[in-house]
Amino acid sequence: MDKIIYPTVDLFLYDLRDGLGDNPEEVDQHWQKFKQKLPQSFESLLTFESGFESEYQELLMGQFGHFGRDSQGYEGFYYPVRMSDMYGLLLDCSPSDSVTPQPPQCFQNIKGEIERRLGEHSAMLGQTWLIYGQLPEKTQNPQKVAQLCYQALFPEANWQDDFQGKGRLLRGMVFELDSFQVKLQETVKDNADSGVSNGGCFDSRHVIIVLYPTAYAAKSGAELIYDWMPLFAYRAKILWAYGQTRQLKQWLKQDYVTIQACLKQIRGNQHQDLPISEMKEILNRARNVVSNYTIDMDDLAYQLRTIAINLDNYQKRRATLEKKARSMQSFGGELSWTDLRFLEQFSERVRTKYLRQVKKDYENLSPGLERLEFAIATIRGLVEIERARQERTFQNNITIFGWGLGAAAIAASLSAQFPYVIVPVEVLTTEPTSEGDRSISVELNPPLSASWDAAVLSLGYSLLVGVLFMAIAWLWIKRKEKSK
């Protein structure tokens, strides 16, 4: 007979209160989103969420918010808290019948009741399912019953793949199952994006199953929710931070491709063939990338510290939980048979995989920032050199043209005094006609064509002198540049 007395499901959900760089409006949005997980009837019972740092603060007057009459056949409560920069919510649900043994399949219905109450609202940081109950017979196989419970809770899950370890809690058997997978889409980071995302970087399923031998042990174990709450919170924060580092790494790798492209364009003598407009475009693109790259690298370092800090808190809370469980004693006998060393497997995984991988990523991606800064400095220098060269060429052209224009003007003014420059005058002449009269006419002496020839000759001398002096100026400038 694989049945359980008073089967209970505790769902721990965690949301971010304020992240790195969040403004007051964003902090208020997180608070409003968290409150949506609670019934509207609890709105007036929520205590004021102050802006002061609080390590652990209960947010509901009366501590617990019990289910209403709409939960037929079930009983339970809401327990919202604030822990530093996180919100935590415990949603407890169990059948109203606390005496009759229930089959493990009942956990599917209990889970459905919890999901009905949550609706479409999900946890930003992560969640943990804690299911427990009492085995009515000592001859029952706890692991077999736990497998049936897990299958009822998640029919698509695989016990062998998700099993992490087992231990003892208050003389009962405890099992841990976990499935964690990072999910990323190959998308380019928009310039409007700032910092990391608020979730959706991973799929996680964490379940703790506790099967107690007696009703007293189950009742005593229920008092440990105040220790489970922060323990699961630190765990969720670690996995969330690690998920953010995977997204940051993807963005940084995309920026690294741009860095390599910028360096390739200015490598060797290729930049000499680039127009200054294209070099400015490369410079602007590099400046934009260095801004995003710097922010993402800072966020990566921040998430690395977040993992390290929460790992330390997780280890301390695990030790506190085990110490508290061992200190619990009944009147007639001990309940201190507790061994939670299996929880250390998560700590070991964080140390040997998550922390090590993020540190390596930071070390491997840090040179990209140095390369990008080098590329920007190089491109900026090339742009300044090209701009100076163009300005110098323009000034030289002005000088050459000025020399030629001035020389031509001087030559033109002097040509007016040349003896062969003839100015035509009008001459009045008379000629006899056939009738014996005289015809009077006016002629230019010398002819007008002779005067035009002189003007053209003067203009030619001026142009020749101008070109000559422009050539002299060009040779003088070239010699001056070579001497430098």
Side-chain angles (χ1 to χ4, degrees), residues 166-177:
K166 62 182 179 179
R168 305 300 297 264
L169 179 63
L170 302 178
R171 302 183 70 85
M173 291 295 301
V174 54
F175 305 88
E176 181 181 28
L177 299 106

Side-chain angles (χ1 to χ4, degrees), residues 37 168 221 230 268 288 396:
K37 297 181 177 66
R168 305 300 297 264
N288 184 48
N396 291 342

